[in-house]
Amino acid sequence: MQVGDLVTWKSDVLNNKVALEMGIVVGHFRGKTSLPSNRCVWVKFGNGQHSHRDRTLCSIDHLLLVEDIKQKRT
């Protein structure tokens, strides 16, 4: 995932009953405890329950690129 990518939660894609919470990757998490198996990014969400925050720390394993959703549905 690169800065500027449009992402959403994997759980929102699996559950068709909720609206997708979209956000943009604004940075990579650089911490001493950041292991390769636990990679995280900072995301700024435009809608949904996390939109009130300036940015949200998210595990890459819990996110999905929006362009990947479009490819799976076509």
Side-chain angles (χ1 to χ4, degrees), residues 3-46:
V3 174
D5 285 346
L6 186 62
V7 295
T8 189
W9 296 107
K10 281 185 183 177
S11 60
D12 287 353
V13 174
L14 297 175
N15 184 4
N16 290 330
K17 297 177 183 175
V18 297
L20 294 179
E21 189 175 354
M22 305 262 190
I24 297 177
V25 176
V26 293
H28 291 275
F29 177 68
R30 305 274 189 230
K32 292 181 181 178
T33 61
S34 180
L35 302 173
S37 61
N38 189 17
R39 298 169 303 155
C40 296
V41 291
W42 290 105
V43 178
K44 172 60 180 157
F45 287 97

Side-chain angles (χ1 to χ4, degrees), residues 49-67:
Q49 66 181 359
H50 297 96
S51 63
H52 68 282
R53 297 181 181 175
D54 183 39
R55 60 185 183 167
T56 305
L57 185 61
C58 307
S59 172
I60 290 177
D61 295 335
H62 296 161
L63 297 173
L64 188 65
L65 291 173
V66 172
E67 62 187 33

